[in-house]
Amino acid sequence: MMKRLNLLAGGLLLMSFLLSSCATASFSKYKGVGRVKRYDFYSAQLPDSFDGFRVAFASDFHFESRFTARRLPGMCRALRSLEADVLLLGGDYRGRNGGDVTQLFQALKTVETPCGTYAVMGNHERGEADSLARKAMRETGVRLLEHRVDTLWRGKEYILLCGIRNPFDLKQNGVSPTLALQEEDFVLMLVHTPDYVEDVDVSHTDLALAGHTHGGQVSLFRRWTPAHFSKYGNRFLTGLKHNSAGIPVIITNGLGTSRKDVRLFTPSEVVLVVLHRKK
């Protein structure tokens, strides 16, 4: 009897484990995109005219990996459905086995927004992959921000968009461009890895957007994963987190896959961030 009870308890525990894990997955109507994830972000620094400003964010395409050419139309439909004011791209454009990044950026060009498209590079943009991505960006009008700040305007009010160059090379890029900005400005940072917001003083940043972790690709309870994409373990695995200074960073699961072309309980995603003026 005791043995049967132990087996039953073990079965219930396993079922609970699997159901809890499955709860991290969801299904979108866009083929090739696991989910569209929305965040509503409130800030007293945000100018009145930017209340409701919509930011689309996509990262870690690794084109082609598990994210193949067949998934491009679904990705574009998902991004267009967000009705975003600006599109941000977080790096890692070409897959480890190669991929036509010109095809990727030509597809992304169909996602038109009032403020255009901005990008940073990822750790997979090396050598030929870097050159091809830069060329495709120039041809499609994507603005690459490498330790640069650009201004997004609405009438006479603005917010600042900061992009980080190679966040893994802290000797070269360990001083954040945000340090030269004003505390009263609303500053949105685009960076490939969330580790940067912990490694470096990113003062004056109101919100950072990052990728790189893939949500672990295989994850249980959004807490444990066998993959290690961050030196901080699972602290910045996915979702809305904060660095030690309290600065928020949203980490996306991304669209493609790295190392192995597998996902489990970590749906691929595109992200919508809606900015709100905090009264």
Side-chain angles (χ1 to χ4, degrees), residues 4-46:
R4 290 178 64 186
L5 287 174
N6 287 338
L7 286 172
L8 179 60
L12 290 172
L13 181 61
L14 178 61
M15 185 179 294
S16 174
F17 176 84
L18 291 174
L19 288 174
S20 296
S21 299
C22 288
T24 68
S26 59
F27 300 95
S28 78
K29 61 183 178 181
Y30 305 104
K31 186 176 180 180
V33 178
R35 69 183 178 191
V36 175
K37 191 164 184 181
R38 172 173 170 152
Y39 297 86
D40 289 277
F41 184 76
Y42 295 81
S43 172
Q45 302 295 105
L46 191 73

Side-chain angles (χ1 to χ4, degrees), residues 23 31 38 51 68 83-84 94 100 138 154 175 183 202 234 245 250 269:
K31 186 176 180 180
R38 172 173 170 152
D51 189 26
T68 63
E83 299 181 336
R94 196 180 191 209
D100 187 353
R138 288 194 298 269
R154 271 191 168 180
V175 177
E183 183 64 33
V202 293
N234 296 331
I250 291 173
E269 64 184 20

Side-chain angles (χ1 to χ4, degrees), residues 56-62 79 87-94 104-105 108 117-125 137 142-145 162-164 166-168 189-194 209-214 250 252 254-255 269 271:
F57 177 43
S59 186
D60 298 275
F61 303 84
H62 293 274
L79 288 171
L87 172 60
L88 305 183
L89 308 176
D92 280 2
Y93 303 103
R94 196 180 191 209
L104 170 64
F105 279 94
L108 287 166
T117 302
Y118 290 84
V120 294
M121 295 295 198
N123 55 299
H124 283 262
E125 274 66 70
M137 288 180 192
V142 175
R143 284 165 275 191
L144 179 61
L145 291 180
C162 169
I164 300 300
N166 189 359
F168 300 94
M189 174 182 283
L190 179 61
V191 60
H192 181 65
T193 174
L209 301 180
H212 184 63
T213 67
H214 299 263
I250 291 173
T252 179
L255 285 161
E269 64 184 20
V271 168

Side-chain angles (χ1 to χ4, degrees), residues 174-193:
V175 177
S176 170
T178 62
L179 298 185
L181 305 178
Q182 302 299 313
E183 183 64 33
E184 59 267 25
D185 288 329
F186 182 88
V187 179
L188 185 62
M189 174 182 283
L190 179 61
V191 60
H192 181 65
T193 174

Side-chain angles (χ1 to χ4, degrees), residues 59-123:
S59 186
D60 298 275
F61 303 84
H62 293 274
F63 183 76
E64 296 185 30
S65 57
R66 193 168 181 266
F67 185 72
T68 63
R70 291 185 303 171
R71 301 181 181 228
L72 286 178
M75 173 198 70
C76 292
R77 286 195 295 271
L79 288 171
R80 285 195 292 268
S81 76
L82 304 182
E83 299 181 336
D85 294 292
V86 67
L87 172 60
L88 305 183
L89 308 176
D92 280 2
Y93 303 103
R94 196 180 191 209
R96 65 184 180 279
N97 297 321
D100 187 353
V101 290
T102 297
Q103 183 182 12
L104 170 64
F105 279 94
Q106 287 293 342
L108 287 166
K109 188 179 180 180
T110 68
V111 184
E112 298 179 354
T113 66
C115 294
T117 302
Y118 290 84
V120 294
M121 295 295 198
N123 55 299

